[in-house]
Amino acid sequence: QVQLVESGGGLVQAGVSLRLSCAGSAASGRTFSSYDMGWFRQAPGEEREFAAAISWSGGRTIYADSVKGRFTISRDNAKSTVYLQMNSLKPEDTAVYYCAARRSRASMTQDRGLYEYWGQGTQVTVSS
């Protein structure tokens, strides 16, 4: 069992940066570093879509094409926290952003159905 709490969302203008944080707490017997972590987002009326993911060690990352080059995912296992640095924000980035965890596997995935634990989400609104 992993509990995840996102923070850092808000209302910003297009072109600025924002950093989201996701603090995790794992059940006894497992540590935060046992999990690959992902960020997903869901705009009103849309399906939840993949944004970025990072391996348990931080050594591997993958990104959706829509955010590649603008967003950076990172993690600090000592703080049990994963981050999403979002630069050059666009109005189309407006969504609720969720972090998610899955027990580490050999390969990483963008498939939301394969992530086991989810946070409650944080709203990001980008005005033009």
Side-chain angles (χ1 to χ4, degrees):
Q1 185 77 15
V2 179
Q3 293 184 325
L4 302 170
V5 179
E6 302 95 334
S7 61
L11 171 63
V12 297
Q13 289 190 326
V16 304
S17 299
L18 201 60
R19 189 176 81 159
L20 305 182
S21 299
C22 173
S25 59
S28 59
R30 288 193 174 274
T31 63
F32 185 74
S33 61
S34 300
Y35 298 89
D36 295 339
M37 300 297 296
W39 283 99
F40 291 76
R41 63 187 186 179
Q42 188 168 19
E46 302 290 332
E47 291 192 350
R48 193 171 299 186
E49 66 175 11
F50 172 79
I54 189 166
S55 63
W56 67 273
S57 67
R60 288 178 293 158
T61 57
I62 55 174
Y63 296 92
D65 288 343
S66 57
V67 307
K68 197 173 297 182
R70 299 187 299 121
F71 291 11
T72 302
I73 189 171
S74 61
R75 66 189 296 162
D76 184 340
N77 286 337
K79 296 182 178 180
S80 298
T81 301
V82 62
Y83 304 98
L84 186 67
Q85 177 68 41
M86 306 185 294
N87 298 330
S88 303
L89 281 163
K90 304 175 181 179
E92 50 263 44
D93 294 318
T94 294
V96 177
Y97 283 72
Y98 299 88
C99 71
R102 68 188 292 256
R103 281 168 287 183
S104 183
R105 302 288 195 277
S107 61
M108 298 177 67
T109 182
Q110 300 185 13
D111 186 343
R112 67 178 184 268
L114 297 181
Y115 284 80
E116 300 161 89
Y117 306 103
W118 293 83
Q120 83 289 347
T122 185
Q123 176 71 47
V124 173
T125 303
V126 184
S127 63
S128 58

